[in-house]
Amino acid sequence: MYRRVVRPVLYRLGKGDAEIAHEQTLHGLRRLGRVPGAVSALSRTFGAIPAGAARTVFGIRFPGPVGLAAGMDKNGMALPAWRSLGFGFVEVGTVTAVPQPGNEKPRLFRLVEDEAVINRMGFNNLGSAALAERLEKTGPLGYPLGVSIGKSKVTPLDKAVDDYVMSLRRLYQYGDYFAVNVSSPNTPGLRSLQDSGQLRELLSALQAEAVALGKGTGKPVLVKIAPDLTPTAIDELLQVCTDVGVAGIIATNTTIGRPGVESHPLASEAGGLSGRPLTELAAKTVAHIHAETGGALPIIGVGGILEPSDAQRLLDAGASLVQVYSGLIYRGPGLIRRINRRLS
């Protein structure tokens, strides 16, 4: 029904503008969350998570292993509704210390034939202070909330640490874990923060701040990495993460490559590629991280999950949890239900 009825309608919104469809979907879910009985109705259809699917990772109990990836609900607009679609956790953001509009539009493109998405959003968000205010008003969610934090575009790289720390400080009481996004290709210079020296400085500061805010026991800090790093670069990054004591890795972000879609008319659009073309690359990256760390560093696997078997492959490669974004666009909420059933 989603593919034959709902998806064609969504794809026509805004004369085919993918970002308008995204925004309208969020607003629709937000409104549903305010209608008595609507969330319960969704939950009966999509939200059941088998009891055997629950797991504890980096000290947090997740009711299910499938999460909503960062980027879908940056500003936490529809948080009450996501659990009713079967998600065991949600990651909001990426959010920055300074509110910013992001890059010029159009900046989100669907490669429908390849079940892929190219985006160059540029961390468009209302800022970490606004997100903190919204989370305060929303109250308890009943599921773990991750918060992805990034660098504001106006902040020079040599001031990046203070920028990240500000967002962590504002949002600390609301998040269950924090994802440090140093891998988006859409903020100039951001990926240079994956270099070992700069990453060590950044993560050390965030870890220290988390411990201070937690009065001796900091909440989990994770690092989200790019799929375009060489194995050597990944190993250097993992050494820093191990030395600093981060809780886990999120693998992977979007790729600047165009594997399998080189001939598509939209392939020349700047931005990160996600969806089906990322399936193989994400699985290989997860497997490499798992092997390199001996399974000691938990991994959230994300990238190219469009079938339950894709999620199972990431878990088999060493991931403890998975996240979905593009798969939700192409397969709808039924995908989450099918994954939960498969993984249980």
Side-chain angles (χ1 to χ4, degrees):
M1 182 179 293
Y2 175 80
R3 292 196 200 183
R4 295 178 181 179
V5 180
V6 178
R7 196 172 80 174
V9 173
L10 289 175
Y11 285 12
R12 286 196 295 269
L13 290 175
K15 298 181 179 179
D17 188 310
E19 186 169 356
I20 291 177
H22 182 180
E23 292 172 350
Q24 291 298 316
T25 300
L26 280 180
H27 287 304
L29 286 170
R30 183 184 182 188
R31 288 192 294 268
L32 278 175
R34 296 173 175 176
V35 177
V39 171
S40 297
L42 276 176
S43 295
R44 287 192 295 271
T45 304
F46 298 108
I49 301 177
R55 57 193 64 192
T56 299
V57 185
F58 37 79
I60 299 173
R61 184 66 171 172
F62 293 86
V66 186
L68 181 70
M72 181 64 75
D73 194 358
K74 293 174 183 285
N75 298 302
M77 302 289 288
L79 290 175
W82 293 117
R83 175 62 187 83
S84 66
L85 297 183
F87 288 103
F89 64 105
V90 170
E91 192 172 306
V92 294
T94 294
V95 66
T96 54
V98 179
Q100 55 189 41
N103 295 323
E104 292 184 5
K105 300 178 181 180
R107 55 194 180 184
L108 184 63
F109 308 91
R110 290 185 294 253
L111 287 66
V112 178
E113 303 88 346
D114 300 292
E115 294 187 302
V117 174
I118 292 175
N119 94 83
R120 51 171 179 266
M121 304 300 287
F123 290 167
N124 58 306
N125 74 103
L126 300 176
S128 53
L131 179 58
E133 183 178 350
R134 182 177 300 280
L135 293 175
E136 176 68 27
K137 292 178 179 177
T138 302
L141 296 170
Y143 59 75
L145 180 72
V147 180
S148 177
I149 55 177
K151 185 188 79 68
S152 307
K153 188 174 182 179
V154 297
T155 300
L157 279 172
D158 60 359
K159 302 293 183 184
V161 172
D162 294 338
D163 195 83
Y164 279 90
V165 167
M166 176 61 73
S167 290
L168 178 67
R169 190 175 296 145
R170 288 171 174 168
L171 293 162
Y172 187 81
Q173 65 177 305
Y174 306 107
D176 293 289
Y177 73 84
F178 294 87
V180 183
N181 189 340
V182 289
S183 51
S184 170
N186 301 316
T187 296
L190 184 76
R191 285 192 169 192
S192 68
L193 294 175
Q194 293 177 116
D195 296 341
S196 58
Q198 295 185 77
L199 185 64
R200 186 179 298 274
E201 179 186 5
L202 173 60
L203 294 180
S204 296
L206 289 171
Q207 284 284 83
E209 185 68 20
V211 169
L213 291 168
K215 299 183 177 2
T217 305
K219 292 180 179 179
V221 173
L222 288 74
V223 178
K224 188 168 188 175
I225 71 169
D228 306 310
L229 295 174
T230 65
T232 299
I234 292 176
D235 295 347
E236 292 176 356
L237 181 148
L238 293 175
Q239 186 62 57
V240 171
C241 291
T242 301
D243 292 345
V244 175
V246 301
I249 300 291
I250 301 177
T252 66
N253 212 318
T254 57
T255 176
I256 58 174
R258 296 292 183 263
V261 300
E262 296 90 346
S263 61
H264 195 284
L266 293 172
S268 60
E269 293 286 353
L273 176 72
S274 61
R276 175 57 71 200
L278 200 54
T279 304
E280 186 74 19
L281 192 53
K284 287 182 177 179
T285 304
V286 168
H288 179 89
I289 294 170
H290 181 73
E292 183 66 20
T293 62
L297 198 60
I299 305 166
I300 299 179
V302 54
I305 298 177
L306 288 100
E307 295 288 349
S309 58
D310 299 325
Q312 185 67 62
R313 183 180 180 187
L314 288 179
L315 292 178
D316 291 343
S320 300
L321 302 164
V322 296
Q323 290 178 328
V324 174
Y325 184 126
S326 299
L328 188 63
I329 295 171
Y330 284 108
R331 302 299 176 89
L335 171 65
I336 312 307
R337 179 176 57 188
R338 294 194 301 274
I339 295 174
N340 280 325
R341 289 175 176 173
R342 168 73 177 262
L343 300 187
S344 67

